[in-house]
Amino acid sequence: MGIIKTIQKRYDNLLNLYTKNLSLENKNIIVSGANSGIGFELVKKIAIKNNVIALANYKTNNLDNINNGKIKILKNDFKELKFSEQFINEIYKFRPQILINCAATFGPEDQELEKINFKNFNEVMKINVFAPINLINFCVKNLDLKQIVNISSDMGSISTNKVGGYYYYRLSKCMLNALSKNLSIDLKTKRINVFCIHPGNVKTKMNSGGIMSPELSAQKIINILSKNNSKLSGLLIDMNSKVLQW
């Protein structure tokens, strides 16, 4: 581990020592990308005191192992962008109060300008942007919805981009950021807060070089949801609620 990553990890650990872990109770919560990484850790934590719909692809063994009776697993491959009538009805009947769009893909490693493949590009956009839009549309028709979380990345920030590259992932997260801002304006009259969160440099299957545990990142996201600060709606924030530049 490089010296910068070591310092960052120690700083995050120190900051966490002085952060109170908050919780959510008696909520109906939908989590996409629920079978791995941050999404899985979110489900583990929130299912203790809440009802959860866990959206996942067809690999759900780990979710089956933690199901305490409060988790309903719905399978869907977001690469296809096909949502059955049964899938949509399950969401309507659930009457979600919180939607957490956690499903994401980085895409292929080779994302340089001269090697852009639009089939691969479209697959990334389907999972990172178009699927969240569909889920939001399904959920906003329900009057109980109060919070939307879009798990983004600082790689979607235009002003902080100093190294270029990674076209599929950067552009998809940049669009997700723009979507979050737009939603915060359009849904303000419905009193729905939209949080666009950079979850940190988290060690997951998508980011093997991460320095933070998915468990810690999940807890930080829960803290943000518990506080539900409307002043942060429509902004790009990190896991400690610090506002980041678009």
Side-chain angles (χ1 to χ4, degrees):
M1 183 183 295
I3 188 170
I4 295 178
K5 284 189 174 182
T6 301
I7 293 171
Q8 182 64 52
K9 185 174 184 179
R10 289 178 178 175
Y11 172 77
D12 289 338
N13 289 338
L14 181 64
L15 192 63
N16 187 51
L17 289 174
Y18 296 96
T19 301
K20 182 179 180 181
N21 289 342
L22 304 179
S23 64
L24 297 165
E25 296 184 15
N26 302 318
K27 305 291 186 185
N28 292 344
I29 304 172
I30 296 178
V31 181
S32 72
N35 56 329
S36 65
I38 300 171
F40 179 66
E41 293 298 331
L42 280 167
V43 172
K44 280 173 64 177
K45 289 178 177 293
I46 64 180
I48 296 172
K49 297 181 179 180
N50 303 274
N51 300 309
V52 181
I53 283 185
L55 304 181
N57 58 22
Y58 301 104
K59 300 174 183 177
T60 61
N61 290 345
N62 51 353
L63 287 170
D64 294 330
N65 292 336
I66 65 167
N67 199 339
N68 59 357
K70 292 188 174 183
I71 303 171
K72 185 175 185 63
I73 302 170
L74 295 184
K75 298 179 181 181
N76 194 285
D77 187 350
F78 288 168
K79 287 186 294 186
E80 302 300 324
L81 279 186
K82 294 178 180 178
F83 302 94
S84 68
E85 185 175 343
Q86 180 182 357
F87 179 94
I88 297 171
N89 285 337
E90 289 286 356
I91 291 178
Y92 288 163
K93 289 189 298 181
F94 185 64
R95 301 181 68 85
Q97 293 155 298
I98 300 174
L99 167 64
I100 306 176
N101 283 310
C102 205
T105 180
F106 188 80
E109 285 295 324
D110 194 351
Q111 299 188 25
E112 299 308 307
L113 177 62
E114 63 275 11
K115 295 182 180 179
I116 287 179
N117 177 298
F118 283 96
K119 181 179 179 181
N120 292 337
F121 201 167
N122 189 45
E123 186 173 291
V124 173
M125 293 296 289
K126 282 181 179 179
I127 297 172
N128 292 0
V129 184
F130 302 151
I133 292 174
N134 276 277
L135 293 177
I136 290 165
N137 265 325
F138 300 152
C139 291
V140 294
K141 294 175 183 178
N142 162 36
L143 298 179
D144 293 321
L145 188 69
K146 297 302 178 187
Q147 297 181 72
I148 296 170
V149 174
N150 292 325
I151 302 300
S152 187
S153 168
D154 60 354
M155 287 185 69
S157 169
I158 295 173
S159 59
T160 62
N161 182 3
K162 307 299 181 185
V163 297
Y166 306 108
Y167 279 82
Y168 306 157
Y169 188 72
R170 282 192 190 280
L171 270 64
S172 71
K173 290 302 184 178
C174 186
M175 186 174 289
L176 186 66
N177 292 350
L179 170 67
S180 300
K181 177 62 177 179
N182 232 41
L183 287 168
S184 71
I185 296 169
D186 290 342
L187 300 178
K188 188 173 183 178
T189 57
K190 295 184 177 182
R191 296 185 178 180
I192 298 174
N193 288 331
V194 183
F195 300 110
C196 186
I197 302 175
H198 164 54
N201 188 7
V202 182
K203 187 176 182 63
T204 62
K205 286 193 302 182
M206 191 171 71
N207 181 25
S208 59
I211 61 175
M212 183 191 309
S213 70
E215 182 180 11
L216 174 57
S217 183
Q219 181 58 58
K220 296 286 190 176
I221 293 167
I222 291 170
N223 290 350
I224 292 170
L225 287 170
S226 179
K227 293 178 181 177
N228 195 22
N229 185 351
S230 61
K231 293 181 179 178
L232 298 177
S233 182
L235 300 175
L236 176 62
I237 58 176
D238 70 8
M239 62 175 187
N240 295 306
S241 297
K242 177 184 175 182
V243 178
L244 306 177
Q245 297 180 39
W246 289 118

